[in-house]
Amino acid sequence: MTRKEALDDPQIAATAWARFRRIMAWMALGGGICVAAALFFLYWWTGGLPIHMAIATILGVWLTFMLGTGLMALAFLSSGTGHDEQVMDRLKDEVPLDD
């Protein structure tokens, strides 16, 4: 009988995904602060902003921030739950080591 590990265990998965959602919620707030800072800087530097520039800035800054945050949070999720250790390297015996 195989033992459930990492994200296969419902308790571990529920805890890990709750932590992931909590991290993403806080980082969404951080992304909003970055958007506000970018808009303030652009307004200070150029004066009034056209609506299309403001929308592009909001979407560009926030989506870029959230993409980076999401990818890093998923890496932490995978590593923190032991999911990375479950990967089988089928080529490890075929690759010569350079000693």
Side-chain angles (χ1 to χ4, degrees):
M1 185 169 174
T2 61
R3 189 178 76 149
K4 287 186 177 183
E5 294 179 6
L7 294 176
D8 296 333
D9 184 357
Q11 263 186 326
I12 293 173
T15 303
W17 284 112
R19 181 176 178 229
F20 175 80
R21 284 189 293 277
R22 190 172 55 247
I23 289 170
M24 291 303 291
W26 279 107
M27 294 312 287
L29 178 65
I33 292 169
C34 286
V35 166
L39 288 173
F40 174 75
F41 174 75
L42 287 173
Y43 181 77
W44 172 76
W45 192 32
T46 63
L49 293 176
I51 188 69
H52 295 98
M53 184 176 179
I55 292 170
T57 301
I58 291 167
L59 290 175
V61 171
W62 196 77
L63 290 175
T64 301
F65 190 90
M66 292 308 293
L67 176 66
T69 298
L71 292 174
M72 281 307 294
L74 286 173
F76 290 140
L77 173 79
S78 178
S79 176
T81 59
H83 195 69
D84 291 347
E85 284 79 29
Q86 289 182 318
V87 175
M88 294 175 54
D89 185 6
R90 297 176 191 223
L91 298 178
K92 70 179 178 182
D93 296 332
E94 296 179 18
V95 176
L97 297 175
D98 294 331
D99 287 331

